[in-house]
Amino acid sequence: MDLLRVQRAGGSVVAGADAPLDFVGISIHQNPRALVRHGFTPVEVLRTATTNAAEALGAAGTLGVIRPGARADLLVVDGDPLRDVAAAARVEQVLVDGHHHTVRELLDPYAGLPREPAPATAPEARPVAGCCRSRPATPR
């Protein structure tokens, strides 16, 4: 059964990537484009990365939604991803825990790191100095 039939029959399709086989940042934006090419609407695709992903993680109502009390991480993009899902990759600004960031600010802490693929067994994730999550959360 293909993913579109699963989705339309009421199943849950969640956006994903083939990490560690490829670059997550690239594939997480290629995946939605492929889903649209195979019949998903842009709205359905965006749900795979937001609402459906939150439900799969057991965080429905906290992640993947815009409402009071939810995690308020938002992207400001160039274009309308509800019409053209590729616009979701054209990130201009990011709001994390109520703090505004430019793309440059978010990338600067990683400027000196090697630009090569992660090893097949990636090391444990660790915070990077200056990362947006190193700031205290904004009270809600």
Side-chain angles (χ1 to χ4, degrees), residues 7 20 39 56 67 79 97 114 116:
Q7 176 79 13
R67 68 169 187 74
D97 291 333
E116 50 190 62

Side-chain angles (χ1 to χ4, degrees), residues 106-119:
L106 295 173
L107 293 176
D108 280 347
Y110 302 93
L113 297 178
R115 293 178 158 253
E116 50 190 62

Side-chain angles (χ1 to χ4, degrees), residues 85-112:
V85 78
R90 295 191 299 269
V91 178
E92 292 188 343
Q93 301 171 39
V94 182
L95 289 120
V96 178
D97 291 333
H99 298 279
H100 174 263
H101 303 277
T102 64
V103 173
R104 173 60 43 214
E105 289 170 13
L106 295 173
L107 293 176
D108 280 347
Y110 302 93

Side-chain angles (χ1 to χ4, degrees), residues 60-62 65-72 140:
T62 301
V65 295
I66 302 171
R67 68 169 187 74
R71 267 324 271 243
R140 297 199 192 330

Side-chain angles (χ1 to χ4, degrees), residues 4-119:
L4 183 60
R5 287 185 12 208
V6 169
Q7 176 79 13
R8 300 262 168 94
S12 184
V13 174
V14 176
D18 289 331
L21 303 176
D22 63 5
F23 292 105
V24 175
I26 294 171
S27 63
I28 202 66
H29 287 290
Q30 293 300 319
N31 178 276
R33 295 172 194 191
L35 291 175
V36 166
R37 280 194 308 273
H38 291 282
F40 280 73
T41 67
V43 171
E44 288 172 323
V45 168
L46 293 172
R47 285 187 184 131
T48 71
T50 57
T51 309
N52 294 3
E55 289 171 358
L57 291 170
T62 301
L63 298 176
V65 295
I66 302 171
R67 68 169 187 74
R71 267 324 271 243
D73 297 353
L74 301 171
L75 301 177
V76 177
V77 299
D78 176 19
D80 181 356
L82 300 176
R83 292 178 182 260
D84 173 17
V85 78
R90 295 191 299 269
V91 178
E92 292 188 343
Q93 301 171 39
V94 182
L95 289 120
V96 178
D97 291 333
H99 298 279
H100 174 263
H101 303 277
T102 64
V103 173
R104 173 60 43 214
E105 289 170 13
L106 295 173
L107 293 176
D108 280 347
Y110 302 93
L113 297 178
R115 293 178 158 253
E116 50 190 62

